[in-house]
Amino acid sequence: MPDNPFKASVLALIKTSPVGLSEYDLIQRLQEHDAAFAFDGESPNLALFRKHFLVMNALYQLQTELFEQGMYLSISPLDIRLEPVDDSGVSALLTDNAAAPLRAYYLDWENFSQTSRADVETMLNRFMERYLAIDERLEALQILELPANAPWETIKQAYRRLAAQHHPDKGGDPARFRAIRGAYEILLRCYVV
């Protein structure tokens, strides 16, 4: 695996922040200290993707290296912090947990080199669609008469029940039926099925 050219700078910045720092703060500080981190001439979204990728790649490389030295690097967008393994409550570096696909993505340099401006725009558009759908999620659950923590199977059952009950062909209210169908379509975008 190629060595990240910003790894040493990332480590130095983490070490000077004993209370931790956010990814945003880390990116801002890297930009202040290293002109090569600016990615001038690239679209703003592609430049941001490249900065984010390089930071995450450096963090995951450092996490492995530092763990072998008895230090645990906690990686979260809002809290990146270095602490002794004994103080962290982590007994082993988990590489097969829920975060494993994310870790694998950022450690694969092809994801950095082969991601184009169009790819980044597509990712951002998908994120915004999903974000807006999640924003509408609670209202959609209310229309289907469900609690906020309803699992996908319960949502499908409620939709089928309410759609059958309010279907215009069965004497139901067309407006209510459209609201139920719209709520279900919003929830389809929110849940990974």
Side-chain angles (χ1 to χ4, degrees), residues 127-142 183 186-187 189-191:
F127 170 79
M128 287 308 296
E129 286 173 9
R130 188 171 174 105
Y131 177 78
L132 292 173
I134 289 171
D135 197 35
E136 300 167 327
R137 181 180 166 275
L138 289 176
E139 183 179 342
L141 287 166
Q142 288 176 339
I186 287 168
L187 293 169
R189 294 190 317 239
C190 294
Y191 286 81

Coordinates of all heavy atoms in Angstrom, one line a residue, residues 127-142 183 186-187 189-191:
F127 N -26.4 11.4 -2.0 CA -26.4 11.8 -0.6 C -27.6 12.8 -0.3 O -28.3 12.6 0.6 CB -25.1 12.4 -0.2 CG -25.2 13.0 1.2 CD1 -25.1 12.2 2.3 CD2 -25.3 14.4 1.4 CE1 -25.2 12.8 3.6 CE2 -25.4 14.9 2.6 CZ -25.3 14.1 3.7
M128 N -27.7 13.8 -1.2 CA -28.7 14.8 -1.0 C -30.1 14.2 -1.1 O -31.0 14.5 -0.4 CB -28.6 16.0 -2.0 CG -27.4 16.8 -1.6 SD -27.4 17.4 0.1 CE -28.9 18.4 0.1
E129 N -30.3 13.3 -2.1 CA -31.6 12.6 -2.2 C -31.9 11.8 -1.0 O -33.0 11.9 -0.5 CB -31.6 11.7 -3.4 CG -31.6 12.4 -4.8 CD -31.4 11.4 -5.9 OE1 -31.4 10.2 -5.7 OE2 -31.3 11.9 -7.1
R130 N -30.9 11.1 -0.5 CA -31.2 10.3 0.7 C -31.4 11.2 1.9 O -32.2 11.0 2.8 CB -30.0 9.4 0.9 CG -30.2 8.4 2.1 CD -29.1 7.4 2.1 NE -29.2 6.5 3.2 CZ -29.7 5.3 3.2 NH1 -30.0 4.7 2.0 NH2 -29.8 4.6 4.3
Y131 N -30.6 12.3 2.0 CA -30.7 13.2 3.1 C -32.1 13.8 3.2 O -32.8 13.9 4.2 CB -29.7 14.3 3.1 CG -29.8 15.4 4.1 CD1 -29.3 15.1 5.4 CD2 -30.4 16.6 3.9 CE1 -29.4 16.1 6.4 CE2 -30.5 17.6 4.8 CZ -30.0 17.3 6.1 OH -30.1 18.2 7.1
L132 N -32.6 14.3 2.0 CA -33.9 14.9 1.9 C -35.0 13.8 2.3 O -36.0 14.2 2.9 CB -34.2 15.5 0.6 CG -33.3 16.7 0.2 CD1 -33.5 17.2 -1.2 CD2 -33.6 17.9 1.2
A133 N -34.8 12.6 1.8 CA -35.8 11.6 2.1 C -35.8 11.3 3.6 O -36.9 11.1 4.2 CB -35.4 10.3 1.4
I134 N -34.6 11.3 4.3 CA -34.6 11.1 5.7 C -35.3 12.2 6.4 O -36.0 12.0 7.4 CB -33.1 10.9 6.2 CG1 -32.6 9.5 5.7 CG2 -33.0 11.0 7.7 CD1 -31.2 9.3 5.8
D135 N -35.1 13.5 5.9 CA -35.8 14.6 6.5 C -37.3 14.5 6.4 O -38.0 14.9 7.4 CB -35.3 15.9 5.7 CG -35.6 17.1 6.5 OD1 -35.5 17.1 7.7 OD2 -35.9 18.1 5.8
E136 N -37.8 13.8 5.4 CA -39.2 13.6 5.3 C -39.7 12.3 5.9 O -40.9 12.1 6.0 CB -39.6 13.5 3.8 CG -39.2 14.8 3.0 CD -39.3 14.5 1.5 OE1 -39.0 13.4 1.0 OE2 -39.6 15.5 0.8
R137 N -38.8 11.6 6.4 CA -39.1 10.2 7.0 C -40.1 10.2 8.1 O -41.0 9.4 8.1 CB -37.8 9.6 7.4 CG -37.9 8.2 8.0 CD -36.5 7.7 8.4 NE -36.6 6.5 9.2 CZ -36.8 6.6 10.5 NH1 -36.9 7.7 11.1 NH2 -37.0 5.4 11.2
L138 N -39.9 11.1 9.1 CA -40.8 11.1 10.2 C -42.3 11.4 9.8 O -43.2 10.8 10.3 CB -40.4 12.1 11.3 CG -39.1 11.7 12.0 CD1 -38.7 12.7 13.0 CD2 -39.3 10.3 12.8
E139 N -42.4 12.4 8.9 CA -43.8 12.7 8.4 C -44.4 11.5 7.7 O -45.5 11.2 7.9 CB -43.7 13.9 7.5 CG -45.1 14.3 7.0 CD -45.0 15.6 6.1 OE1 -44.0 16.3 6.1 OE2 -46.0 15.8 5.4
A140 N -43.6 10.8 6.9 CA -44.1 9.6 6.2 C -44.5 8.5 7.1 O -45.5 7.9 6.9 CB -43.0 9.1 5.2
L141 N -43.7 8.3 8.2 CA -44.0 7.3 9.2 C -45.4 7.7 9.9 O -46.2 6.8 10.2 CB -42.9 7.2 10.2 CG -41.7 6.4 9.7 CD1 -40.5 6.6 10.6 CD2 -42.0 4.9 9.5
Q142 N -45.6 9.0 10.2 CA -46.8 9.4 10.8 C -48.0 9.1 9.9 O -49.1 8.7 10.3 CB -46.8 10.9 11.1 CG -45.9 11.2 12.3 CD -45.8 12.7 12.5 OE1 -46.1 13.5 11.7 NE2 -45.4 13.1 13.7
A183 N -46.0 8.5 1.0 CA -45.2 8.2 2.2 C -44.4 7.0 2.0 O -43.2 6.9 2.4 CB -46.1 8.1 3.4
I186 N -41.3 7.7 -0.1 CA -40.3 8.4 0.6 C -39.5 7.4 1.5 O -38.3 7.4 1.5 CB -40.9 9.5 1.5 CG1 -41.4 10.6 0.7 CG2 -39.9 9.9 2.6 CD1 -42.3 11.6 1.4
L187 N -40.2 6.5 2.1 CA -39.5 5.5 3.0 C -38.7 4.5 2.2 O -37.7 4.0 2.7 CB -40.6 4.8 3.9 CG -41.2 5.7 4.9 CD1 -42.4 5.1 5.6 CD2 -40.2 6.2 5.9
R189 N -36.9 5.3 -0.2 CA -35.6 6.0 -0.4 C -34.7 6.0 0.8 O -33.5 6.1 0.7 CB -35.8 7.4 -1.0 CG -36.4 7.5 -2.3 CD -36.4 8.9 -2.9 NE -36.7 9.9 -1.9 CZ -37.7 10.7 -2.0 NH1 -38.5 10.7 -3.0 NH2 -38.0 11.6 -1.1
C190 N -35.4 5.9 2.0 CA -34.6 6.0 3.3 C -34.0 4.7 3.7 O -33.0 4.7 4.4 CB -35.6 6.5 4.4 SG -36.2 8.2 4.1
Y191 N -34.7 3.6 3.4 CA -34.2 2.3 3.9 C -33.5 1.6 2.8 O -33.8 1.6 1.7 CB -35.4 1.5 4.3 CG -36.0 2.0 5.6 CD1 -36.9 3.0 5.6 CD2 -35.7 1.4 6.8 CE1 -37.5 3.5 6.8 CE2 -36.3 1.8 8.0 CZ -37.1 2.9 8.0 OH -37.7 3.3 9.2

